[in-house]
Amino acid sequence: MKSRVIILGPPGAGKGTCASRVSDIAGIPHISTGDLLREAVRERAPLGIRAKGHMDAGELVPDELVVGMLRERLARPDCQKGFILDGFPRTLAQAKALGGIAAVDLAINMVVPADIIVKRLSTRLVCSKCGAVYNTRTLPPKKAGICDKCGGKLYQREDDRPEAVRRRLEEYKKKTKPLIGYYREKRILVNIKTKSIGEPPEANVRRVLAAMGIKG
Ligand code: ADP
Ligand code: ZN
């Protein structure tokens, strides 16, 4: 089984939703650098204080901050049996740093048409307590504005506003997209395509599990 997995893809590709379900089924931790950073911001930790301005603007947080944070996370015992990284690496420098920290068995590239991405981000809601992700159009909570899992209040992320979304897409194209070639050359890249906005997340979850060698 391939259990050291990274997920690449533009913002709004559905990386988080997919990774969280795969994590439940495969029994390996879902590590989202975006979630870890938002937690640091909420707790007003030194890392969060340095990261917040970049995040709200839709820019990447400097490599040394994110790499240090991830190095600590991967050193924890639950990562022994594997991990699914969501939102890391996002630059070539991060990919090279990761190579020095852990071996990667599989790089999933989530391919999504541009119009789906913009629609999804503008209707996305996040739980303020547990971080669960919803979408008012495609993945609504049972009760409007309330998290199904924990009852927390749902909110729109600062960086899901149109100006920051544009910035995040530029950052992706310039800095993260080149990683597709990097992992293709390492022969561990698998492309997974979302065809329509109405497609349930389960379709991609099955594709990822199959690529890992787990029957869905
Ligand atoms: P999305 O994939 O929807 O853009 P994330 O939750 O993964 O959202 O990331 C939100 C923000 O957190 C990014 O725009 C960036 O500012 C910061 N961030 C997350 N992961 C990284 C990373 N690996 N390197 C640099 N910045 C990151
Ligand atoms: Zn919740």
Side-chain angles (χ1 to χ4, degrees):
M1 168 179 150
K2 294 179 177 144
S3 60
R4 290 166 300 191
V5 182
I6 65 170
I7 302 200
L8 300 169
K15 301 186 294 289
T17 305
C18 184
S20 123
R21 294 178 193 215
V22 170
S23 155
D24 288 344
I25 297 170
I28 53 176
H30 166 205
I31 300 173
S32 155
T33 44
D35 284 351
L36 291 174
L37 287 167
R38 278 186 289 278
E39 197 180 304
V41 170
R42 269 200 306 277
E43 291 172 349
R44 296 190 172 76
L47 170 70
I49 291 165
R50 294 175 69 187
K52 186 175 189 312
H54 298 288
M55 294 173 73
D56 286 350
E59 298 163 5
L60 293 185
V61 172
D63 287 334
E64 63 274 18
L65 293 183
V66 188
V67 169
M69 175 182 82
L70 190 89
R71 188 191 302 278
E72 279 177 26
R73 181 63 188 87
L74 287 181
R76 299 214 330 233
D78 62 337
C79 296
Q80 285 291 315
K81 39 186 176 166
F83 47 77
I84 177 156
L85 290 186
D86 155 19
F88 187 98
R90 258 192 169 79
T91 64
L92 202 54
Q94 290 179 16
K96 289 183 177 160
L98 175 61
I101 300 172
V104 176
D105 307 316
L106 177 65
I108 299 287
N109 177 35
M110 295 189 77
V111 183
V112 184
D115 55 322
I116 295 189
I117 289 172
V118 175
K119 272 186 206 152
R120 248 198 208 142
L121 292 177
S122 60
T123 51
R124 173 159 78 176
L125 293 174
V126 184
C127 175
S128 55
K129 267 210 225 155
C130 77
V133 178
Y134 298 87
N135 190 293
T136 53
R137 264 200 280 194
T138 55
L139 204 66
K142 294 199 181 84
K143 218 172 131 198
I146 304 290
C147 178
D148 292 349
K149 291 185 190 157
C150 78
K153 250 194 172 162
L154 305 182
Y155 74 104
Q156 182 177 43
R157 268 167 49 176
E158 185 66 32
D159 61 350
D160 279 344
R161 294 167 199 276
E163 183 53 42
V165 166
R166 213 168 311 138
R167 196 67 211 275
R168 281 159 64 206
L169 288 169
E170 280 167 21
E171 290 276 77
Y172 170 76
K173 272 196 197 132
K174 208 165 58 187
K175 297 178 182 163
T176 309
K177 224 175 165 185
L179 296 185
I180 297 172
Y182 178 82
Y183 286 108
R184 185 187 297 123
E185 277 171 22
K186 293 195 178 296
R187 301 185 177 282
I188 58 171
L189 189 85
V190 172
N191 288 308
I192 284 181
K193 291 196 180 97
T194 294
K195 282 150 205 133
S196 73
I197 191 152
E199 192 178 279
E202 280 71 28
N204 282 333
V205 172
R206 270 197 303 276
R207 293 174 191 135
V208 174
L209 290 170
M212 292 171 69
I214 299 172
K215 273 191 222 145

